[in-house]
Amino acid sequence: MANSRGGYDVAVIGAGFAGVVAARDLSVEGHSVVHLEARDRIGGRAHTGEAFGRPLEFGGAYVHWTQPHIWRELRRHRIPLVPPLATDTVHWLADGAVHTGSRLDYGNAVGPLMARCFADARERFPLPFDLAATDTTAIEKETLADRLDALHLSAYDRDLLDGGLAALVHDHRRHGVAQLLLGVATYFGDWSAFFETASLWPIEGGTRRLLDAVAAESRADLRLATPVTAVEDDGAGVTVTTRDGRRIRARAAVVAVPLNALGDVTLTPQPAPPARDMIERKLPMRTVKIWARVRGEIEPFCAFAPLGKNPVNAARVEYRHQGDTLLMCLASDASAISADDREAVQRALRTFVLDLDVRETAGHDWANDPFSQGTWAMHRPGDLTGAVPRLREPLGRLRFAGGDIAALEAGSIEGAMASGARAARDIAAALLDGSC
């Protein structure tokens, strides 16, 4: 509901996890909020869709009880996590051959390499929640490729380590190593702990169940299928212009749009040059998540392949379904394989298991989706502690939010929720003291 002056206290733009949390938090405090979302659904890059006659996660899916914002909401709404399917067989492509072993075998092989790769995580980020606690100048010049090259690994070890990282990255030479180091430092300097939080535990009922629970508490005026083209702070208030030409007036705004789509929104004033440059360059993340329905109930397995050596870089048996098996697959380069190409997916999976019979495939093309233009955030060298913090600062009556710019756990659902909550707190304080 609009305020007494005909506008709103706050306009929240974007209904991913960050926007949904921000709109809920501000509206339950009594502020009038209009919530604008370009898609015809809430969730953004978290999307519980339908395939093979059952719900599946086409975007972000995995959370963990160590993540405070996620865990608080799950407990409040009595939503449990789903234990992952027990898996003891791992296949990994390295030095031109596929190797097979138990999870212990794989862990014993890749664990020491991960430990070497991220040995300085806590040294670089002694206080992960305070990036100003240490000088990041040197580490912010280093790419992931620089880090791998400096280890001087054999071809086998290089592929083994690369394969363990490939599900998270897209381009070694454009991704900075700092973000991965910060992620590992956040989880006690332990790569395996960081990896578990990012890749194993889905929500019972899917991300949509949690989104619906949070959104049900919101009193915001939610308007779906309403893309925004401009947000202007004229000093007296904010005007939001939608694609169909409507103009909405508010005292302040939270802009919770993915970084790669933010360049399509005209912002006045513009962010500072480091942040503006980052928005214009876009994040180099063009991965694809593919679901494959395989005939029969096959032995559960995980599989890993280094970048550029196989179109599917990670795969895992996730569910049983109507006598068949559902595999979750990640490809680091969306241009290398399409979720609609069943035969190509089957060929890629047969790299690991020769007799797999892929009946159907499904997925969503986030890289070419106009409202995302990519997947989760993996930042270039220099941006994590340079450009990104600038977008967490107030810009007049505007505040930015989203998993892409989260201070901790960038690229995750937890990071998005924390960022939305922070933006809501900042706006609420500004409304209270009259600066907005």
Side-chain angles (χ1 to χ4, degrees):
M1 182 180 295
N3 61 32
S4 60
R5 290 172 290 181
Y8 292 86
D9 292 328
V10 188
V12 176
I13 301 152
F17 268 103
V20 167
V21 167
R24 187 273 309 270
D25 288 0
L26 285 162
S27 65
V28 298
E29 286 191 15
H31 303 293
S32 61
V33 178
V34 61
H35 193 184
L36 308 172
E37 165 55 40
R39 306 178 192 276
D40 60 1
R41 60 170 179 82
I42 64 173
R45 287 169 289 180
H47 176 35
T48 307
E50 295 283 335
F52 321 135
R54 61 154 294 158
L56 289 171
E57 296 288 359
F58 288 106
Y62 304 109
V63 298
H64 205 263
W65 55 86
T66 57
Q67 297 171 323
H69 293 81
I70 283 283
W71 195 241
R72 173 180 177 272
E73 299 291 348
L74 290 174
R75 299 296 282 180
R76 284 184 62 243
H77 297 291
R78 299 182 180 182
I79 301 174
L81 301 182
V82 179
L85 193 66
T87 303
D88 193 48
T89 299
V90 183
H91 308 291
W92 61 94
L93 177 63
D95 197 19
V98 173
H99 308 263
T100 298
S102 67
R103 292 187 70 89
L104 180 60
D105 294 332
Y106 178 72
N108 287 340
V110 77
L113 301 175
M114 291 292 186
R116 285 182 60 194
C117 188
F118 299 105
D120 57 339
R122 292 301 297 272
E123 176 188 351
R124 297 292 187 179
F125 297 100
L127 301 177
F129 51 85
D130 182 4
L131 296 185
T134 187
D135 183 359
T136 60
T137 304
I139 198 61
E140 275 282 43
K141 296 176 181 178
E142 189 176 340
T143 67
L144 182 56
D146 293 333
R147 175 60 57 110
L148 296 179
D149 291 344
L151 295 174
H152 303 293
L153 301 173
S154 67
Y156 172 84
D157 284 348
R158 173 72 177 245
D159 282 351
L160 181 60
L161 177 58
D162 189 336
L165 298 170
L168 298 178
V169 301
H170 167 69
D171 187 330
H172 291 152
R173 302 207 173 274
R174 289 197 290 168
H175 294 320
V177 76
Q179 184 176 336
L180 287 173
L181 288 168
L182 176 59
V184 173
T186 302
Y187 286 95
F188 335 114
D190 185 336
W191 166 263
S192 62
F194 167 66
F195 191 77
E196 177 173 325
T197 66
S199 63
L200 280 181
W201 294 86
I203 299 168
E204 185 177 284
T207 52
R208 183 58 190 256
R209 182 179 178 186
L210 179 58
L211 282 159
D212 284 345
V214 176
E217 299 176 317
S218 178
R219 300 170 189 170
D221 175 7
L222 176 62
R223 303 183 189 182
L224 299 175
T226 307
V228 167
T229 58
V231 182
E232 179 184 1
D233 173 8
D234 61 14
V238 172
T239 299
V240 178
T241 304
T242 64
R243 183 179 289 177
D244 61 6
R246 283 178 289 172
R247 293 163 65 85
I248 300 167
R249 192 70 175 166
R251 293 171 62 191
V254 175
V255 182
V257 176
L259 275 180
N260 282 4
L262 189 55
D264 295 335
V265 180
T266 300
L267 299 171
T268 307
Q270 292 188 355
R276 186 169 68 245
D277 294 345
M278 176 180 63
I279 293 167
E280 291 173 354
R281 292 196 313 268
K282 298 185 183 296
L283 294 170
M285 246 346 241
R286 300 184 66 80
T287 55
V288 61
K289 182 178 184 178
I290 301 170
W291 287 97
R293 181 176 182 174
V294 173
R295 190 178 304 278
E297 294 192 355
I298 65 171
E299 177 189 3
F301 71 88
C302 297
F304 301 95
L307 297 187
K309 303 291 180 70
N310 194 55
V312 168
N313 299 101
R316 181 175 67 228
V317 171
E318 195 97 340
Y319 302 114
R320 305 297 193 190
H321 177 62
Q322 297 180 348
D324 289 336
T325 302
L326 303 187
L327 271 66
M328 187 279 297
C329 311
L330 292 170
S332 64
D333 184 356
S335 67
I337 193 166
S338 169
D340 297 327
D341 191 338
R342 182 196 64 81
E343 292 185 356
V345 173
Q346 178 171 272
R347 284 195 301 272
L349 289 173
R350 284 184 174 179
T351 297
F352 309 109
V353 181
L354 293 177
D355 58 351
L356 282 184
D357 182 4
V358 176
R359 298 180 60 186
E360 301 176 87
T361 56
H364 180 79
D365 187 357
W366 298 105
N368 292 304
D369 183 320
F371 302 127
S372 61
Q373 301 178 40
T375 50
W376 58 86
M378 282 296 301
H379 291 288
R380 288 180 171 84
D383 284 349
L384 182 71
T385 59
V388 172
R390 299 301 295 270
L391 278 182
R392 294 198 292 268
E393 298 171 355
L395 182 65
R397 295 170 178 266
L398 309 184
R399 303 295 187 275
F400 296 91
D404 293 346
I405 65 167
L408 279 177
E409 301 202 63
S412 72
I413 295 173
E414 169 67 15
M417 296 183 79
S419 178
R422 175 200 52 80
R425 289 193 302 271
D426 288 352
I427 287 286
L431 292 171
L432 182 64
D433 68 20
S435 58
C436 281

